[in-house]
Amino acid sequence: MKDRSTKADITAAVLLDEDTLMLFGAIDQPLPADSVVMLDGMIDGRFRGGCWTDAAGERWFLGAIRVTGLAHMRPSRIEIEDAQGKHLLLPRLSNVRTNPAHLVAALREVQPQALDTALDVAVTLLSGLDAGEGEADRRIRLLTGLAHEVSRPDGFAEVLGRFRDGALMVQGWSHGFPAGASPVLIEADDLRTHSSAAAPFHRPDLPDDAAGLLAILEGPVASPEAIRRIHFRAADGWRHLAIFEHRQLLADGVASAHARDMLGQLQGDAARRGVAAAIAARYNGVETVSQIQAPVRMGLDMAVRVPGAGLFVCGWLLDPTQAVRAVAVKGGGMTARLDSDWSRLARKDVSDAFAHDPLFAGRLLPGNDGHGFTAFAREPAGITADAGFHLELTLADGIAFLPLPCQPPTGDSLRRMLGAVNPDSPAIDRVVSAHLGPMLRTAASGRAAPSSVLHPMGRALRSPRVSVILPVCDGREDVDLNLARMANDPDFVETEILVVAGAGTHERLAGMVRQAAGFYRLAVGFVAAPTASDPFEAVAVALAHARADRVLLLSPSVLPTERGWLSALERAIRKPNAVGSAALAPVMVSPTLLYEDHSVRFAGIVAVEGPGGAVTYERRFAGYPRDWLKEQEASAVDAASADCGLLPRDLLVRAMADRGRYLGLEPKGLDLCLRVRAAGGSCLWLPKVRLVAVDEQPRGARDPRLERMSALVDEWSFAERWKASIAA
């Protein structure tokens, strides 16, 4: 396709963000309003523009080129495709600026009579482009600069009131504020575009060419206290409402009632209907779904919000005639469709409850019980933690609302959320990666670190050789058996034993530990940490109380069958001679762990590369008879065992500083070892030292569905955290 010869003169070029370039200049032929733009012969992005002709008959244009990563490009050839598919070649750019004031100054100098038109074009162009919070700054400065050049005073805003959804009601007067729907620019600390619906009304105190004004501005709008001007496009150019010095600010929740009271005074049927529809679309805190005349009803089972991440909503919608066109969650300036991506569930209880309701008689088909739903909505940044939310149902003839009381992200509410999601959904992988994973990760990051109190028991020990951390996070009372085994081993004479009482520990545990510590003359520290939910949190808490240079992580389910095993682990730490181990790296070493039938439970964890380069971690020889183990000397492995592992205290501190957040215990041990390695350490397995690890069953009943969902989320969390290092 041949290029059309184009004569153009680029007066100003300003880079508004990483991807958007604004151009102003003269050109000898029309430019398309929306088209493809090509850089150096490649189709790279979009061009949007607007043209006008000045009094001298010369054609000028203002346009926006949108190409990903444009700020880092230096194209020598810029082509715009017209409606006929031909290419318009623009001159090469030689002086691209980043200050929007340069573009405003060029317009003021070269085309002062067209500044109104330029602002029209800028509003149209920039309202259709997305930008991040930081990137929007230059766009706002451009619109503000143009508005200050052309906007003239035209009336006052006298009454301002916020709706619950962030929209704004404005009452005042003007000569030329347009009736009906139109864009406005709200100038506060910044300047942003909003849609408005407005209608005039008669005021006897005004001249004949002025009228009262009631306008509803779509939100979220800046706080009324911060608003300085409201710019609008009148028939003869851009004008603005100033804020009356003694303006009235309505209290929260009053705007809806005040605006409805004004409807009878509004003039112009079409404009009045537009304002009425805008008012009806505002949520005022009242449930209106039950007032719908059509056979539509809705109920909520639960809603959980994780501030900064999003919302989970579970409930049911009974809509046998398909009267509902959309379901959205709104609040705090957020709007998100739920029904476009929700999961439907069978709810026969809902069908049965409405089977004899006259409104639904003859409309509920037997067996068609898919009324339930679970849905997620991601929230944008900047929404306050105390924001309120509601559901909005759009029907053919109106809108209905349902309050959405959200539960905070407590452990119980998050477990209920997981239990409500169907793990067999075909979209479960996307649900986990897009919603559940980020929500739970955000909720975990906001949790306060568990607190603890140390209670010394038994004999005092000035300088312990090893700090043994024994975490207890269930109802067991039998740790006296562990203490007895350690008391019978000379290796533990110079050790301190930190028994950490986490969540779920028996109330008699402290008394039993005190009695055993005194009887066996052990140096014991009883660490009370009631909010530590699992052994790994308990270990993190106990670290603050550990005094030795080396720490032994020891599960209560691990029982020694011989003496001297701790000394063997210490020798391996002092002199790591394993094949493939880094001699100078600090070491975490674990023994062989056997089940009670003497089959192998742990003999090192190694990374295995599967089809397509996927890496998994496998326990070597798990379940095999112990006779399969032929090794005698220490071996380098990819992960040791957190059930029984000796390592330097400072290495453990570094590894625990940024521990992963998981729902179950399964990935936490492997995660700890990978963090040990990321902190500069290595892992060893000592085959000849063998201990028994009792295969204990969970003491509390577990929901299999919840277990499956937890495993799916943990799998995603682990992959997200370690995918880069695993790939390497």
Side-chain angles (χ1 to χ4, degrees):
M1 188 70 68
K2 292 184 177 180
D3 299 335
R4 289 173 59 185
S5 58
T6 307
K7 183 180 179 181
D9 180 20
I10 306 299
T11 305
V14 174
L15 194 65
L16 288 187
D17 57 50
E18 290 290 302
D19 306 324
T20 308
L21 179 69
M22 289 288 291
L23 301 177
F24 162 59
I27 195 165
D28 65 344
Q29 52 193 290
L31 285 173
D34 191 353
S35 181
V36 172
V37 65
M38 284 147 286
L39 306 183
D40 295 330
M42 301 295 291
I43 299 177
D44 286 302
R46 304 297 301 181
F47 171 83
R48 300 181 67 198
C51 295
W52 67 90
T53 304
D54 64 12
E58 189 171 7
R59 181 179 287 108
W60 296 82
F61 79 96
L62 188 65
I65 292 176
R66 180 77 167 176
V67 176
T68 302
L70 181 60
H72 307 289
M73 301 178 186
R74 296 292 184 269
S76 59
R77 185 181 180 89
I78 300 176
E79 301 164 272
I80 298 169
E81 188 176 274
D82 68 7
Q84 288 75 41
K86 295 184 178 180
H87 296 173
L88 306 176
L89 179 62
L90 296 182
R92 184 169 182 174
L93 304 178
S94 59
N95 190 16
V96 177
R97 308 287 188 91
T98 57
N99 188 350
H102 173 68
L103 180 55
V104 176
L107 282 161
R108 182 177 61 241
E109 179 180 350
V110 180
Q111 285 284 289
Q113 73 282 4
L115 282 168
D116 280 300
T117 302
L119 182 53
D120 292 339
V121 175
V123 169
T124 302
L125 295 183
L126 300 184
S127 63
L129 298 177
D130 296 326
E133 190 171 345
E135 295 178 339
D137 178 62
R138 276 180 270 175
R139 301 184 185 191
I140 291 170
R141 285 160 55 197
L142 176 60
L143 291 176
T144 303
L146 289 173
H148 285 179
E149 288 290 337
V150 303
S151 185
R152 302 290 177 260
D154 184 3
F156 285 91
E158 299 168 328
V159 182
L160 302 171
R162 289 284 292 274
F163 295 91
R164 285 176 177 262
D165 63 356
L168 183 73
M169 185 212 74
V170 178
Q171 180 184 328
W173 66 269
S174 169
H175 292 277
F177 201 102
S182 64
V184 297
L185 301 175
I186 302 295
E187 181 180 340
D189 294 332
D190 55 19
L191 186 140
R192 298 187 183 272
T193 308
H194 299 270
S195 300
S196 77
F201 62 91
H202 176 68
R203 274 182 52 171
D205 60 321
L206 299 176
D208 293 340
D209 62 344
L213 165 72
L214 183 70
I216 309 298
L217 279 53
E218 292 294 330
V221 182
S223 170
E225 295 91 340
I227 296 175
R228 294 193 284 266
R229 290 178 178 177
I230 301 174
H231 302 273
F232 60 91
R233 187 53 158 102
D236 59 347
W238 281 88
R239 302 291 181 261
H240 65 260
L241 301 178
I243 307 301
F244 185 53
E245 182 181 2
H246 301 294
R247 84 274 191 250
Q248 180 182 1
L249 300 180
L250 300 179
D252 291 345
V254 176
S256 291
H258 181 87
R260 283 194 297 269
D261 290 344
M262 293 289 298
L263 284 175
Q265 304 178 42
L266 301 184
Q267 299 171 339
D269 291 342
R272 181 170 60 249
R273 286 196 298 270
V275 173
I279 296 171
R282 307 273 77 81
Y283 173 63
N284 62 7
V286 177
E287 181 273 320
T288 60
V289 173
S290 60
Q291 302 171 21
I292 299 175
Q293 299 302 310
V296 173
R297 292 296 180 265
M298 191 176 200
L300 292 174
D301 297 321
M302 70 175 300
V304 178
R305 181 196 173 202
V306 179
L311 297 89
F312 167 77
V313 184
C314 175
W316 54 268
L317 173 65
L318 190 60
D319 180 24
T321 63
Q322 304 298 305
V324 178
R325 297 184 174 180
V327 179
V329 58
K330 291 189 174 183
M334 165 186 166
T335 299
R337 282 282 297 270
L338 292 184
D339 58 316
S340 59
D341 195 30
W342 61 15
S343 298
R344 301 310 300 266
L345 308 170
R347 290 293 299 269
K348 189 174 185 303
D349 59 318
V350 175
S351 299
D352 293 343
F354 287 87
H356 303 293
D357 190 311
L359 190 62
F360 294 88
R363 294 188 169 97
L364 298 178
L365 300 178
N368 188 8
D369 302 319
H371 316 304
F373 68 84
T374 58
F376 294 88
R378 300 188 75 168
E379 67 177 55
I383 298 182
T384 60
D386 60 350
F389 296 88
H390 64 275
L391 295 184
E392 179 180 287
L393 276 63
T394 303
L395 299 97
D397 57 352
I399 293 176
F401 303 104
L402 190 69
L404 188 63
C406 294
Q407 301 177 31
T410 63
D412 182 63
S413 65
L414 293 175
R415 281 190 293 271
R416 289 183 59 205
M417 176 181 74
L418 280 175
V421 178
N422 179 15
D424 296 314
S425 167
I428 191 61
D429 289 339
R430 185 185 53 77
V431 168
V432 169
S433 63
H435 300 294
L436 279 176
M439 286 180 70
L440 291 166
R441 181 170 57 189
T442 303
S445 65
R447 286 182 55 195
S451 58
S452 64
V453 178
L454 175 66
H455 302 279
M457 298 179 179
R459 66 184 178 89
L461 185 62
R462 178 170 297 180
S463 299
R465 189 179 82 253
V466 174
S467 295
V468 182
I469 299 180
L470 192 75
V472 182
C473 295
D474 55 23
R476 70 175 68 232
E477 302 176 65
D478 56 355
V479 295
D480 56 338
L481 178 60
N482 302 88
L483 298 178
R485 295 289 179 98
M486 285 184 269
N488 194 39
D489 189 338
D491 276 1
F492 289 86
V493 172
E494 298 301 318
T495 66
E496 66 172 358
I497 303 167
L498 299 175
V499 178
V500 192
T505 52
H506 199 284
E507 61 182 4
R508 291 198 296 268
L509 181 66
M512 184 277 300
V513 170
R514 182 182 298 278
Q515 183 178 5
F519 181 80
Y520 295 117
R521 292 190 50 76
L522 294 171
V524 176
F526 186 86
V527 182
T531 59
S533 61
D534 61 47
F536 294 89
E537 286 194 1
V539 168
V541 167
L543 268 178
H545 306 290
R547 294 180 292 148
D549 292 336
R550 295 192 183 100
V551 172
L552 174 67
L553 306 181
L554 186 63
S555 167
S557 64
V558 174
L559 299 174
T561 57
E562 56 190 29
R563 300 185 190 187
W565 60 273
L566 179 57
S567 296
L569 296 183
E570 288 183 283
R571 286 192 295 272
I573 275 192
R574 286 195 298 268
K575 188 179 179 181
N577 57 357
V579 176
S581 66
L584 298 180
V587 172
M588 176 178 180
V589 60
S590 290
T592 299
L593 298 180
L594 303 175
Y595 288 107
E596 291 172 278
D597 62 357
H598 296 288
S599 62
V600 176
R601 177 169 183 168
F602 175 84
I605 295 176
V606 295
V608 178
E609 185 173 347
V615 175
T616 58
Y617 288 89
E618 295 184 0
R619 294 193 175 204
R620 299 197 309 168
F621 306 114
Y624 281 62
R626 64 179 176 180
D627 294 339
W628 279 69
L629 302 180
K630 305 301 182 184
E631 296 92 336
Q632 290 296 317
E633 300 303 323
S635 300
V637 291
D638 290 302
S641 173
D643 285 338
C644 184
L646 181 69
L647 72 166
R649 181 182 181 278
D650 60 346
L651 177 61
L652 182 57
V653 169
R654 293 199 303 273
M656 298 296 284
D658 184 30
R659 63 186 185 275
R661 303 285 184 172
Y662 301 96
L663 302 174
L665 289 178
E666 184 64 27
K668 288 190 175 184
L670 177 57
D671 179 80
L672 172 62
C673 292
L674 292 181
R675 282 184 281 112
V676 163
R677 295 176 60 188
S682 61
C683 294
L684 293 182
W685 163 53
L686 196 57
K688 62 184 179 182
V689 177
R690 301 179 179 185
L691 288 76
V692 171
V694 179
D695 188 18
E696 297 180 330
Q697 297 300 315
R699 294 173 182 263
R702 295 188 179 184
D703 181 349
R705 179 165 169 157
L706 180 59
E707 290 288 304
R708 289 178 59 197
M709 282 306 310
S710 298
L712 287 172
V713 173
D714 282 346
E715 182 180 337
W716 172 86
S717 299
F718 184 86
E720 278 290 296
R721 179 176 178 85
W722 295 110
K723 59 185 176 184
S725 59
I726 289 174

